[in-house]
Amino acid sequence: MRSLASACLGGLATILTALAAPAAAQPATDMVAAIRARGALNCGVTPSTVGFATPGTDGRFRGMDADYCRAVAAALLGDAEKARIQPTTTQQRFTQLQSGEIDMLSRVTTWTLSREASLGLAFAGVNVYDGQGFIVKKASGVTSAKQLDGASICMQPGSTTELNAADWFRTNNLRMTPLLIEDIEEARKAFFSGRCDAYSTDSTSLAALRYNQGANAEQFVVLPEIISKEPLGVAIRKGDWRFYDIVRWTHFALLAAEEMGLTSANIDSQANSANPDVQRFLGKTGDLGKMMGLEPDWAVRVVKAVGNYGEIWDRNLAPLGIQRGINNLWTKGGLHYAPPMR
């Protein structure tokens, strides 16, 4: 009897120990190997947002988010043009990333707790510190978002925009009627045609939208209120932390290059720099590339392909009249700060 009891107790202890132990992690997909075998990085972007990703007449996407796709391709594959850039919708973007249809999402996407904790995404950093705003027609006479009580607001469903607007109007004891339209171009058309009183999205996108109206830009007003924090960043699926490191440090390399004054035009001339930080960045010392399974000059290839962060901003967002403000480097009073590359 004692033997049987001991056996039962021992078995119970084993079961309890197993239940108490954390579930074993699923084997991580080797994304780096898969991308290299494919010979292309599949990267999802917005279908058409000026300054971030817009297809030209040649079909080539241009904008900050498209440049981030090319920067990662340059680091990982040695060729920025091996970024296979494809448009994704607001509602489909996460499903496409989760399913493996795309390898990374670079699509004016806000970093939130729920997207990391419940959707299995990992954000590699913030490439634009943004905030949600509203645009109205100047003829409406509206000069503040608090004058939008009872207004109809055009927005995209499945976005932080929809949730933020609901929270803000409720907090300020105001009413609104959301007009939710999935297709971004249709949502904009609805606003311009008068189907809604205002259009709401990230303030940088609103500035770009207004700028894109050309001679008619003065007919529209971006209201002064910023109602949310919208840290926009690149996301990948959780599980392959080597790929995550590459995406994350590509972003930091863009910031570090700007801080050190390394540009697409001068980086080749810095080979004999006496600055040890520059030497590590160029891959002359430190073996930083080897640590991530990359070539020693991976960061050089990134900068030569798309420039540093400041060059990307000046090429894509500055022409729209968008000021850098908090998107400046920390040395210039902004929030952008790259950890030491050493």
Side-chain angles (χ1 to χ4, degrees), residues 108 206 247 279 329:
V108 285
L206 293 178
V247 176
Q279 287 295 302
L329 297 178

Side-chain angles (χ1 to χ4, degrees), residues 2 32 42 65-66 93 97 105 123 130 161 173 204 232 246 264 274 287 290 292 294 298 303 313 322 335:
R2 289 181 181 176
V32 173
N42 294 332
D65 286 344
R93 54 184 165 168
L97 183 57
L105 182 67
F123 283 81
D130 209 342
T161 302
N173 295 314
T204 52
L232 308 179
I246 293 170
S264 55
D287 288 334
K290 185 178 181 180
M292 296 189 293
L294 300 177
W298 67 277
V303 174
W313 184 282
I322 301 174
L335 297 178

Side-chain angles (χ1 to χ4, degrees), residues 75-91:
L76 179 55
L77 299 173
D79 185 350
E81 297 310 308
K82 289 185 178 179
R84 187 181 294 160
I85 299 173
Q86 57 193 74
T88 63
T89 68
T90 300
Q91 291 187 311

Side-chain angles (χ1 to χ4, degrees), residues 261-263 265-285 297 300 304:
L262 301 175
T263 70
N266 72 17
I267 196 164
D268 279 337
S269 68
Q270 302 301 307
N272 297 320
S273 170
N275 186 330
D277 288 332
V278 172
Q279 287 295 302
R280 282 189 291 270
F281 190 94
L282 299 180
K284 303 294 184 180
T285 61
D297 65 343
V300 175
K304 289 180 71 171

Side-chain angles (χ1 to χ4, degrees), residues 65-76:
D65 286 344
D67 280 344
Y68 264 71
C69 295
R70 295 188 178 99
V72 174
L76 179 55

